[in-house]
């Protein structure tokens, strides 16, 4: 566009020069040769030719040409102004977020480099804050993207309010923002700013007639302590932010070198986990569930086990949350369920199979259909399957969980509430969701020498009987505890006393002869 403007101005200048260069000599020649007088005489001599009318016509024609030239000039100037405005707008869009008006990543990198050079000369430090909003997705899901956009605009205003006009603020996209400010070396300004940001951003926001609440998780990197270039500092602040999210949302963390090591280890684990799930390397191990009154195996709980070729055995509480974050929890669950159905076909028909469902899976309205598809594929009776969920899986949305449970129970699948007593343990959940089984958390079982724990176990056992739900005690490791549970009315038990989780082949050998009593599975691992 600049080339067009320059070219147009050059053409206009040429036209003016040519007009002057031709017009002035022509006027001088006509004056010197008395052309005007001679034309007047000619008009009088030849009045019949109507030369005066012709002259007037030529003058009007010239005037029309002048008017056309003026209009052409005005239109050209308007076009130039329009193009200059469009160019300015395009430049603005190229450098700023169109929604919030904040700088974008391009401007952030440019201006951050300038700020870093400035603090290096002045002996100060530069604090880079990566701000990621918490609970922003539900705003879009519940109230629409228009409300989400209004929240982002409000967040931008609050960022300006807290960090001031001198700070650099940018939106990187989505619900992630960056703020950069200069402060005194080794001072507490970064901590104060981060605390103020969290307080301000956690305050309710009114948009489209509704009040919404979001929070913020913040990662902080300092120059020169953590890096001296824009890319390094932004990466360090991002690492600190993810570390804060991993530990507890709604907090802030300063970058430390060990965070980077953990992040790299996490990335390596993610890469191996994806391959392990795709290749079926994660297998179910089966821990027996015993009937205390009959002293026999009545079921098995399938537990995921991953034996990594170089890392060794990776605990489930390490890789299962990673699978949830990566969106791979259903492929993992499906693999475990498929392998478990194949293994359980060799068990007696009255022995149940229990599988665990992650909290995030209860948000999948197709969960029941997915599970039933696997059971149908392997002709496994739904009545033999027990789906175990923890209470923190249902606390977010009771109605959603009730809908999924109803679909499973209508198909004949039973639902067990796992780790009862560890979390919220609301009796209303038992009433609303109509569980089929109740599992007492192992922390109460392992402290059975305490009278308080005995009372809790007795109360839960009585509650289960009153509601028609079998109660299973987890973490049973000694015969004394098993006897005490039996005396308190607990019907079922699970733990190392009866056997650790074992692979499918070992369980198959268990049922090759007479059903064992009390210690059916050799403790492994």
């Amino acid at each position: 566009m600049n080339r067009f403007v320059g070219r147009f101005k050059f053409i206009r200048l040429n036209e003016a020069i040519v007009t002057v260069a031709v017009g002035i000599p022509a006027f001088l020649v006509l004056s010197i040769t008395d052309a005007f007088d001679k034309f007047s005489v000619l008009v009088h001599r030849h009045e019949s030719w109507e030369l005066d009318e012709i002259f007037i016509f030529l003058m009007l024609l010239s005037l029309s040409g002048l008017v056309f030239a003026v209009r052409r000039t005005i239109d050209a100037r308007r076009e130039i102004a329009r193009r200059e405005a469009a160019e300015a707008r395009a430049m603005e869009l190229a450098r700023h977020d169109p929604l919030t008006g904040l700088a974008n990543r391009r401007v952030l990198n440019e201006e951050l480099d300038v700020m870093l050079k400035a603090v290096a000369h002045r002996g100060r430090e530069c604090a880079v804050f990566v701000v990621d909003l918490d609970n922003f997705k539900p705003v879009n899901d519940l109230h629409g993207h228009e409300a989400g956009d209004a929240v982002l605009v409000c967040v931008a205003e609050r960022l300006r309010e807290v960090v001031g006009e001198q700070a650099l603020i940018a939106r990187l996209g989505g619900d992630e923002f960056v703020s950069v400010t200069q402060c005194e070396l080794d001072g507490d300004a970064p901590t104060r700013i981060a605390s103020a940001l969290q307080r301000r951003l956690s305050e309710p926001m009114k948009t489209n007639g509704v009040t919404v609440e979001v929070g913020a998780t913040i990662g902080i990197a300092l120059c020169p302590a953590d890096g001296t270039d824009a890319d390094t500092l932004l990466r360090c602040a991002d690492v600190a932010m993810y570390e804060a999210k991993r530990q507890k949302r709604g907090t802030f963390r300063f970058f430390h070198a060990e965070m980077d090591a953990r992040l790299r280890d996490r990335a390596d684990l993610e890469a191996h986990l994806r391959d392990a799930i795709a290749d079926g390397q994660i297998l179910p191990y089966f821990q027996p569930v015993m009937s205390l009154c009959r002293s026999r195996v009545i079921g098995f709980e399938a537990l995921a086990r991953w034996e990594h070729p170089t890392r060794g055995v990776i605990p489930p509480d390490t890789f299962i949350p990673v699978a949830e974050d990566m969106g791979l929890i259903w492929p993992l669950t499906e693999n475990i369920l498929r392998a478990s159905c194949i293994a359980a076909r060799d068990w007696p028909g009255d022995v149940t199979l229990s599988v665990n469902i992650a909290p995030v899976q209860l948000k999948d309205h197709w969960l029941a259909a997915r599970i039933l598809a696997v059971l149908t594929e392997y002709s496994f009776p739904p009545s033999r399957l027990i789906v175990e969920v923890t209470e923190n899986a249902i606390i977010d949305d009771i109605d959603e969980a009730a809908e999924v449970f109803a679909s499973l129970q209508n198909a004949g699948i039973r639902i067990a509430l796992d780790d009862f007593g560890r979390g919220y343990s609301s009796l209303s959940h038992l009433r609303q969701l109509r569980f089929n089984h109740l599992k007492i958390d192992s922390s109460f079982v392992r402290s059975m020498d305490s009278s308080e724990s005995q009372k809790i176990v007795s109360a839960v056992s009585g509650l289960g009987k009153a509601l028609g739900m079998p109660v299973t005690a987890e973490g049973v490791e000694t015969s004394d505890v098993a006897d005490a549970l039996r005396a308190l009315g607990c019907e079922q038990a699970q733990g190392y006393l009866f056997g650790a989780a074992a692979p499918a082949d070992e369980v198959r050998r268990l049922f090759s002869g007479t059903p064992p009593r009390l210690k059916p599975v050799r403790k492994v691992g």
Side-chain angles (χ1 to χ4, degrees), residues 276 281-283 285 304-314 319 503:
Q281 298 175 16
I282 302 176
L283 301 173
Y285 275 44
R305 292 292 183 266
W306 182 14
E307 293 189 17
H308 192 275
T310 57
R311 291 173 174 243
V313 177
I314 300 178
F319 67 82

Side-chain angles (χ1 to χ4, degrees), residues 272-289:
H272 286 89
L273 178 60
R274 190 180 298 276
D275 293 338
I277 293 175
D279 298 339
Q281 298 175 16
I282 302 176
L283 301 173
Y285 275 44
F286 303 94
Q287 186 173 37
V289 179

Side-chain angles (χ1 to χ4, degrees), residues 40-233:
S40 178
V41 173
L42 182 63
V43 169
H44 286 291
R45 286 180 181 177
H46 304 283
E47 290 184 0
S48 61
W49 292 6
E50 297 181 350
L51 294 179
D52 52 344
E53 287 84 354
I54 297 175
F55 180 72
I56 293 173
F57 172 76
L58 293 175
M59 288 184 63
L60 292 174
L61 187 62
S62 300
L63 182 60
S64 299
L66 178 62
V67 170
F68 176 78
V70 170
R71 289 195 58 183
R72 179 174 177 273
T73 301
I74 293 174
D75 290 344
R77 287 183 176 178
R78 287 176 178 172
E79 179 65 16
I80 291 174
R82 188 186 67 80
R83 295 201 179 194
E84 287 177 343
E87 184 180 57
R89 176 61 177 165
M91 185 63 67
E92 179 75 11
L93 292 175
R95 297 179 60 83
H96 292 83
D97 173 48
L99 177 63
T100 62
L102 298 178
N104 60 12
R105 187 182 295 272
R106 173 184 173 185
V107 176
L108 173 66
N109 289 328
E110 293 175 358
E111 298 193 13
L112 181 54
D113 283 331
V114 175
M115 295 179 71
L116 295 178
K117 292 176 183 177
V119 297
H121 290 298
R122 298 172 186 170
R124 309 182 74 194
E125 72 178 1
C126 191
V128 178
F129 304 84
V130 170
V131 181
D132 190 81
L133 300 183
D134 300 324
N135 303 318
F136 177 71
K137 186 176 183 297
V139 175
N140 280 331
D141 293 342
L142 296 176
H143 307 295
H145 289 279
E146 185 177 349
D149 289 347
V151 168
L152 293 175
V153 172
C154 183
V155 167
E157 293 173 353
R158 293 184 178 186
L159 286 173
R160 293 189 188 98
E161 174 187 326
V162 173
V163 301
E165 296 296 333
Q166 300 301 317
L168 170 61
I169 310 173
R171 181 188 174 208
L172 300 187
D175 58 351
E176 189 173 7
F177 297 81
V178 171
S179 175
V180 185
T181 185
Q182 298 182 28
C183 46
E184 296 299 326
L185 193 63
D186 298 326
D188 64 346
T191 300
R192 289 189 287 103
I193 292 173
S195 298
L197 283 173
Q198 286 189 316
R199 286 194 302 271
R200 190 70 178 98
L201 294 178
S202 63
E203 295 176 4
M205 305 177 188
K206 291 186 177 180
T207 172
N208 294 345
V210 297
T211 300
V212 299
E213 293 185 17
V214 297
T217 301
I218 303 174
I220 310 168
L222 302 176
C223 170
D226 301 322
T228 56
D229 63 274
D231 289 340
T232 300
L233 286 169

